[in-house]
Amino acid sequence: MAAVQILPSILSADFRCLGQQIAEVEQAGADRIHVDVMDGRFVPNITIGPLVVEAARKSTSLPLDVHLMIVEPERYLADFASAGADIILVHQEACPHLHRTVEQIKQLDKQAGVVLNPSTPITSLEEVIDLLDQVLIMSVNPGFGGQRFIGSSTQKVRRLQRLLQERGAQAAIEIDGGIDPTTAPAVVAAGASLLVAGSAVFGAPGGPGEGVRRLRASLSQEP
Ligand code: DX5
Ligand code: ZN
């Protein structure tokens, strides 16, 4: 099994001191930084764009995992690539020409991921799965931090793991939404190796560093 990586989502960070917050999670052992881009159309909320990705890029050498919750993401891939994204993730539901969009990400020399909303079946990825570096299972409906984990997502991760094994595909399984020390062990046991966490990290009582350490510690417990 691949080593589990922790990806703090800066959506829940204090943007008055973003650089410092990123430094804190990096010191505590975070593996990548997850950046949530929302356009107010694909999801109801509006967040950040390439400018903030650029600022995050200057704050850390960790890989930046950029989750595009926007319509027509193909129009902005080059902007996010030059802002410093290392992995670019697009939603299956936002891409009628998903194969082409994935190829475009690869042509920019970036890793490509596809995200599935809770209601989107994993079978919708069968024709592109061999091309992907990551598949991100949303375990909440995207748009906001701090929502409750949808329990059936654990089964979905397990089914995705099976599909990847059957196909001999290499994509890593990422999960996003409601991940905390209570939900993390079961999704890892099901096959997830990339854990996104917003409120569990940046809302942790002892601060973001403590949030990362508590999440890491939970992984050595039985689900
Ligand atoms: C939700 C975003 C998540 C969000 C997760 O649409 O994609 O990355 O930051 O937040 P938590 O971990 O609080 O559910
Ligand atoms: Zn996200």
Side-chain angles (χ1 to χ4, degrees):
M1 198 169 69
V4 177
Q5 299 199 6
I6 293 177
L7 290 70
S9 159
I10 60 168
L11 184 63
S12 297
D14 182 346
F15 276 74
R16 290 172 302 177
C17 48
L18 182 62
Q20 196 183 314
Q21 296 242 299
I22 291 176
E24 258 180 80
V25 295
E26 181 169 1
Q27 266 165 29
D31 299 282
R32 306 181 184 184
I33 301 298
H34 182 84
V35 184
D36 288 305
V37 177
M38 306 186 190
D39 64 354
R41 293 186 64 208
F42 181 70
V43 288
N45 200 4
I46 299 180
T47 57
I48 60 178
L51 273 179
V52 174
V53 173
E54 221 174 289
R57 178 71 297 153
K58 290 178 184 150
S59 312
T60 181
S61 54
L62 293 179
L64 298 180
D65 189 74
V66 177
H67 177 188
L68 299 181
M69 285 162 274
I70 62 177
V71 298
E72 300 177 0
E74 62 282 356
R75 294 174 56 198
Y76 299 98
L77 299 174
D79 290 346
F80 284 101
S82 50
D86 297 285
I87 304 107
I88 301 181
L89 299 121
V90 295
H91 270 260
Q92 186 273 354
E93 305 83 6
C95 299
H97 305 291
L98 185 60
H99 185 280
R100 179 189 292 153
T101 307
V102 167
E103 300 258 278
Q104 283 170 343
I105 298 173
K106 302 233 152 191
Q107 275 158 18
L108 291 164
D109 242 349
K110 303 296 172 188
Q111 291 188 43
V114 174
V115 192
L116 298 180
N117 277 337
S119 63
T120 306
I122 54 173
T123 49
S124 63
L125 291 185
E126 276 185 29
E127 305 304 326
V128 292
I129 198 119
D130 303 308
L131 305 173
L132 304 180
D133 298 293
Q134 290 173 209
V135 176
L136 170 48
I137 300 288
M138 286 308 301
S139 40
V140 297
N141 285 291
F144 303 94
Q147 302 182 80
R148 218 178 127 137
F149 180 81
I150 298 172
S152 56
S153 315
T154 309
Q155 274 295 341
K156 195 172 180 182
V157 167
R158 201 167 289 131
R159 281 185 277 115
L160 173 59
Q161 167 87 316
R162 209 174 304 138
L163 175 67
L164 290 166
Q165 276 166 357
E166 278 166 20
R167 296 285 294 253
Q170 299 303 314
I173 303 178
E174 180 171 8
I175 187 138
D176 183 4
I179 297 299
D180 63 20
T182 68
T183 53
V187 293
V188 168
S193 62
L194 301 168
L195 304 181
V196 177
S199 44
V201 168
F202 291 101
E210 185 59 23
V212 171
R213 285 188 287 270
R214 286 188 50 200
L215 195 53
R216 176 77 66 200
S218 75
L219 302 180
S220 48
Q221 279 148 35
E222 290 290 311

